[in-house]
Each structure stands twice: as structure tokens, then as C-alpha cells.
Amino acid sequence: MSTPFTSAEAQRAIELLASRSLVRLVTEIDDNGAIPPRRLAGTLPDLSTHQLRTASDTARAHGLSRIAPGIGLELTEAGMELAGLYDAMARWARRHAVPAPVCEFSSRIRHVLALLAPSLITERADGAEAGLARLRTLLIQWLADNLQMARVSEPEPVA
């Protein structure tokens, strides 16, 4: 499978996807449903107001979430697919005890993305373990379906 990404695009996509606050936001909504905007800070108390705003703005700007009137911040189809990809990455990382046998979910995601990053700009994942090669294929497919993750500039805050 060829990759439609330049080195800069791949790096940008990985940086966005590996953002701890974005991982936390996407997985929280996936696990527990929509979050009313005024409840974000209470739902994710480990994130600062700035981190919450950035993650929320990023998720909306890249089509991962939307505000549903009367419901709150919910995932779009792309956001749900990303949550599934995050889950697959976390399962692989847990099975291989990386980056440590016990660690935070977002640390596992960031570690797997760091392992996959170099292979996004090459034609294949040389020497990759079968499970990691599968994750690479899933990531490339998700990115191909969501090119805005690599090609859109920083999101502007939504008023």
C-alpha cells in the first residue's frame, strides 16, 4: 500500500493524533458518550482549560467531533473510527508491554504512533512485527480517509 504523505504531512498527522489531550477527549466520548460543553472540565479534570479547548477545537476542525444541540460534544464517524484505531493500538501495546508493563492509555497510543511514524513515508514497514504492520495499514487507511489530519493548518478557535 503506497502512502500519500510527504514527510512533513506524516509528521503533522502523527503529532496531532498523538496529542494526549486529543487521545483523552476522543476515547472519553467513545467510552461514555457525548459530553456537554460545560462538563468538559469535570469529565477530564487532568487536562487544563487550554488543553481542553485545544483538543475540542482540533477535534471539531478535523471532523472528529461536532456539537450536537442539547447533547454536547459527540464523535463523528471519523472520530469513532479513530477511537477504534486507538483501541487497536493500545491492545497491541499492552500485549507487548510497551512503553512499560503498566502505563497510561494515551502513553501507549503515543508510543505506537512513534513506532509507526517512520513507516508512513516509506512503501513498507521493514522488519515490522505482523501486528504492528497491521496497525500501520489501519493507520494509513484512516489517514487516507481523513486527509485533513495531515493537510490542514492549525485549527482556529471556535467561538
Side-chain angles (χ1 to χ4, degrees):
M1 173 182 283
S2 66
T3 59
F5 313 108
T6 66
S7 178
E9 289 171 336
Q11 181 179 348
R12 172 146 176 75
I14 293 297
E15 286 174 9
L16 282 169
L17 294 175
S19 161
R20 181 178 177 274
S21 56
L22 183 65
V23 172
R24 292 276 294 119
L25 180 68
V26 168
T27 56
E28 180 66 33
I29 296 171
D30 182 55
D31 290 346
N32 299 304
I35 303 172
R38 296 189 191 279
R39 305 264 321 218
L40 271 175
T43 303
L44 299 165
D46 57 318
L47 300 179
S48 70
T49 302
H50 174 73
Q51 290 171 316
L52 287 170
R53 186 175 308 115
T54 300
S56 178
D57 290 349
T58 298
R60 286 195 313 255
H62 295 290
L64 303 175
S65 69
R66 64 179 162 252
I67 298 284
I71 296 173
L73 192 62
E74 66 180 8
L75 294 178
T76 61
E77 186 68 30
M80 289 184 278
E81 291 169 359
L82 179 58
L85 180 58
Y86 282 161
D87 285 340
M89 289 177 182
R91 281 192 303 276
W92 183 90
R94 257 191 317 275
R95 201 167 35 254
H96 292 83
V98 294
V102 177
C103 67
E104 183 181 70
F105 182 87
S106 61
S107 295
R108 292 191 192 281
I109 301 306
R110 290 193 314 270
H111 184 80
V112 172
L113 286 167
L115 291 173
L116 293 172
S119 72
L120 290 182
I121 56 172
T122 63
E123 288 298 317
R124 61 188 199 284
D126 290 328
E129 187 254 13
L132 194 56
R134 182 180 145 281
L135 290 174
R136 176 187 181 270
T137 300
L138 292 172
L139 176 59
I140 288 171
Q141 183 58 55
W142 188 87
L143 287 169
D145 292 343
N146 297 279
L147 289 173
Q148 74 277 9
M149 289 303 291
R151 299 199 173 131
V152 174
S153 60
E154 287 297 319
E156 293 183 24
V158 178

